[in-house]
Amino acid sequence: NAGVTQTPKFQVLKTGQSMTLQCAQDMNHNSMYWYRQDPGMGLRLIYYSASEGTTDKGEVPNGYNVSRLNKREFSLRLESAAPSQTSVYFCAIIPWDTEAFFGQGTRLTVV
Amino acid sequence: AQKVTQAQTEISVVEKEDVTLDCVYETRDTTYYLFWYKQPPSGELVFLIRRNSFDEQNEISGRYSWNFQKSTSSFNFTITASQVVDSAVYFCALSEYGGSYIPTFGRGTSLIVHP
């Protein structure tokens, strides 16, 4: 039982390049989330998906797009990476009444 | 709107000292959950505890204890006899019941335990 699997773990991009962060869960949970973590800023919500087929913006959605491909998978895409998107990204499933399950994180550097 | 405040950005202690991490929350909901997570230097996020709004009993787990007080909207975390392995960033979080479910995290407190 892997829980939440997130890939890749590390990535270096040049400004303007695109990439997709993949997230898959095997916990059959409806809601999935993408957060970014920057020093001193805690975890900030980028996008979330309350259920298959729906996505909504979070606190910091600019520069990102998401796809909820099916119940298991929720991907985050950077169409044209910028240095301000250098961060650590976490995918998560967060039931309201139990613990959250996070992916291992993706450390992204945009140069 | 829900909000979580961790006013202490960084705490530095010497091993064996007791340390308390503060968490103050705001919510209009009467049903909610509070959480603490630990993020060690390796980067993963580790669940520590969950407490619902109807249970104000303090909880102790080994050297860790949590004090939930609805009267002051606080959910503080104490580490007794701190150890170097406790060095991490600790996040407090709040989730409300019902509606558009978006959990809120505090900004985290970085705890450094010196040998």
Side-chain angles (χ1 to χ4, degrees):
Chain A
N1 185 351
V4 179
T5 304
Q6 184 181 339
T7 57
K9 290 193 71 174
F10 301 95
Q11 184 73 49
V12 178
L13 290 178
K14 292 182 179 178
T15 297
Q17 286 185 318
S18 62
M19 78 162 293
T20 299
L21 283 67
Q22 307 286 354
C23 178
Q25 54 124 343
D26 60 6
M27 308 184 79
N28 200 36
H29 193 67
N30 287 322
S31 303
M32 298 182 73
Y33 303 79
W34 276 106
Y35 286 89
R36 62 177 287 173
Q37 183 181 16
D38 302 291
M41 300 300 291
L43 290 159
R44 292 186 293 169
L45 184 66
I46 305 171
Y47 271 93
Y48 69 102
S49 170
S51 61
E52 184 180 352
T54 68
T55 61
D56 285 285
K57 295 178 180 179
E59 181 184 355
V60 288
N62 291 344
Y64 306 94
N65 285 303
V66 290
S67 295
R68 183 73 183 268
L69 305 169
N70 47 55
K71 192 170 187 179
R72 288 189 65 249
E73 297 172 291
F74 186 38
S75 61
L76 177 72
R77 183 161 178 83
L78 287 70
E79 291 290 352
S80 179
S84 61
Q85 294 177 304
T86 293
S87 187
V88 180
Y89 293 85
F90 287 97
C91 176
I93 59 172
I94 311 179
W96 80 273
D97 58 349
T98 62
E99 66 178 284
F101 296 89
F102 290 88
Q104 295 275 58
T106 297
R107 188 173 295 275
L108 173 66
T109 302
V110 183
V111 297
Chain B
Q2 58 189 47
K3 184 179 178 182
V4 176
T5 301
Q6 294 180 256
Q8 304 151 309
T9 55
E10 184 175 298
I11 301 174
S12 183
V13 299
V14 177
E15 210 169 20
K16 298 183 182 167
E17 281 187 46
D18 298 347
V19 58
T20 296
L21 283 62
D22 298 331
C23 174
V24 174
Y25 64 93
E26 295 177 26
T27 177
R28 289 177 291 188
D29 221 321
T30 56
T31 304
Y32 53 90
Y33 279 89
L34 294 161
F35 304 80
W36 276 95
Y37 293 89
K38 175 182 180 179
Q39 187 178 42
S42 52
E44 74 273 21
L45 285 150
V46 178
F47 167 81
L48 294 177
I49 190 172
R50 170 179 67 101
R51 170 69 69 217
N52 76 54
S53 54
F54 299 107
D55 181 3
E56 285 193 75
Q57 276 194 350
N58 290 334
E59 179 150 344
I60 299 174
S61 176
R63 296 184 296 107
Y64 294 172
S65 62
W66 291 268
N67 182 6
F68 175 32
Q69 290 194 339
K70 288 176 76 171
S71 61
T72 56
S73 297
S74 64
F75 186 44
N76 297 336
F77 172 31
T78 297
I79 302 174
T80 302
S82 59
Q83 299 176 2
V84 172
V85 293
D86 296 326
S87 296
V89 180
Y90 292 87
F91 292 97
C92 181
L94 164 72
S95 68
E96 295 174 336
Y97 178 77
S100 178
Y101 175 62
I102 303 177
T104 298
F105 288 82
R107 293 193 170 191
T109 296
S110 176
L111 174 64
I112 302 168
V113 182
H114 299 280

